[in-house]
Amino acid sequence: SLPHSLTKLNEAEEVAAMQIFKDIMSHAGLNVNEGSTTNLANNNSISSQESDSDDRVALAQALLQRCLQKDTLLSELYVQLIKQTTDHPDPSSRVSARHWALLCAAVGAALPPTKPVRRLLLAHLRYRGTALHAGEEGKFARRAEQIALSIAQVPRRLAAPSKEELLCAAARRPLHVRVLLLDGKQHGLVFGPAATADHLVAMLREKIGLSDAASGYALYEVCANSTPAGTGERALSGAERVGDVLARWEKAGATAAACRLVFKKRLFLGDRPLHSQCVAEMELLYYQVLHAVRHDRLPIETDEAVMLAALHAQVVNGE
């Protein structure tokens, strides 16, 4: 048990610190009751494994959400997790792995708000990653350090990680999302917890071969079940964390079919915005115009519609 908080807190926050400790123990599979700790980590009941996993994810999300809302609790969470991941008596156990998984998830959400705790965290990760090079703890420590260094340059998360992100943290693997182009193609992108919309745009531009001169593109969050029509489409700001978008979809109960990311041109600049020397951009612009006409977002005359239909027939069927 934890007799008191590990950081300086007021009386109300002391109670919250005790709850943080209980949640950390419960997440690891240890049930804390009146000073006694019962090991639940080795529960092999097949019927309860999936339920336990869902409960653990929900517990981690609730814990991280509470701590993200208050800097003092976030610092307390980090100090407690550093304590739990230091010289564990059984470093290869599930309990140790779950402590490290929670630490990785926390690092992906937000770094400690105070410099002393941040320096302590980085020193802890660097030391554990070096001293335990071959073990699971070392792998978790190096993964967490990598995330910490990348996340220092991006805005803080607004919401707790999604279930998918927590599972990826536990497995030490990056996240994956599909981005739709208006020609019907989809591209899978692999990214880390620090990724912003700008990062994904840059990855996608390179993947489809857009030239540097092709500017004004953005990622759109499109939700098909939003009403009234049109309110379900929103351009992501460049600094917006992609993890926040996925967490918001999960919280709203949206499926992959209902909500998706769409890549298209947002700003049309210059005297001839629909003309480009980049072949990839011209193809994207063509399908974007076609999409806008089909969904009554671009009013055109009958002659223009006939010309567009003829061009589309030529693209589809050839000469």
Side-chain angles (χ1 to χ4, degrees), residues 2 20 23 39 46-47 49 57 63 74 77 84 98 108-109 119 123 137 147 164 171-172 174 226 239 244 269 294 316:
L2 189 70
I20 288 174
D23 288 347
N39 191 340
I46 297 176
S47 61
Q49 284 181 357
V57 166
L63 172 60
L74 185 59
L77 171 67
Q84 294 299 330
R98 287 167 182 169
R119 287 196 294 265
E137 284 189 312
I147 295 172
E164 178 65 22
R172 300 190 302 273
S226 296
D244 277 331
L269 306 174
R294 285 175 173 171
V316 174

Side-chain angles (χ1 to χ4, degrees), residues 278-297:
C278 177
V279 176
E281 183 178 26
M282 285 302 297
E283 184 175 353
L284 287 178
L285 289 174
Y286 165 73
Y287 282 105
Q288 185 165 341
V289 170
L290 199 64
H291 182 271
V293 171
R294 285 175 173 171
H295 291 80
D296 293 329
R297 295 184 179 180

Side-chain angles (χ1 to χ4, degrees), residues 111-133:
L111 290 176
T114 60
K115 288 185 178 180
V117 179
R118 196 178 308 163
R119 287 196 294 265
L120 174 64
L121 171 68
L122 292 175
H124 172 67
L125 297 178
R126 196 169 293 119
Y127 174 75
R128 307 310 292 182
T130 303
L132 303 169
H133 182 76

